[in-house]
Amino acid sequence: ILTARLTKACPINSRQRGFIRSAGCSENLKLLQLLNHNAKREHRSLGVVFVDLAKAFNTVSHYHIISSLKQKGMDSHRIALITNLYYNITTRMD
């Protein structure tokens, strides 16, 4: 439920494949192949950039996440729920 509501507040790009239900990256690879084929056929240059956001959740500050949600207009109750997820986090191993 929370994911659905967050998606409404902060829409993601239709090409996003991580952490969402989708056919995987095969569709994006097929698109890249098509772009490459068309560029070769039309003798046009093509620039491609791959961005690796590995461990993005470890590097984005919690403050920035909360600030972004406020800026996007998410209601204070849901922001409080998410803020509480980050508050006083501990790990315990028995």
Side-chain angles (χ1 to χ4, degrees), residues 35-46:
L35 291 170
N36 189 40
H37 175 74
N38 288 342
K40 284 182 179 181
R41 188 182 69 222
E42 297 173 10
H43 303 287
R44 297 177 65 166
S45 60
L46 175 67

Side-chain angles (χ1 to χ4, degrees), residues 54-70 79 82-83 85-87 89:
K55 296 191 175 193
F57 292 106
N58 293 343
T59 58
V60 177
S61 76
H62 298 162
Y63 173 80
H64 184 75
I65 293 169
I66 300 305
S67 295
S68 297
L69 293 174
K70 289 177 182 177
I79 290 174
I82 294 167
T83 302
L85 294 174
Y86 295 124
Y87 180 74
I89 299 173

Side-chain angles (χ1 to χ4, degrees), residues 1-8 74 78-79 81-82 85:
I1 294 171
L2 190 55
T3 300
R5 291 179 180 170
L6 280 172
T7 303
K8 288 179 186 175
M74 179 170 273
R78 290 190 184 104
I79 290 174
L81 289 173
I82 294 167
L85 294 174

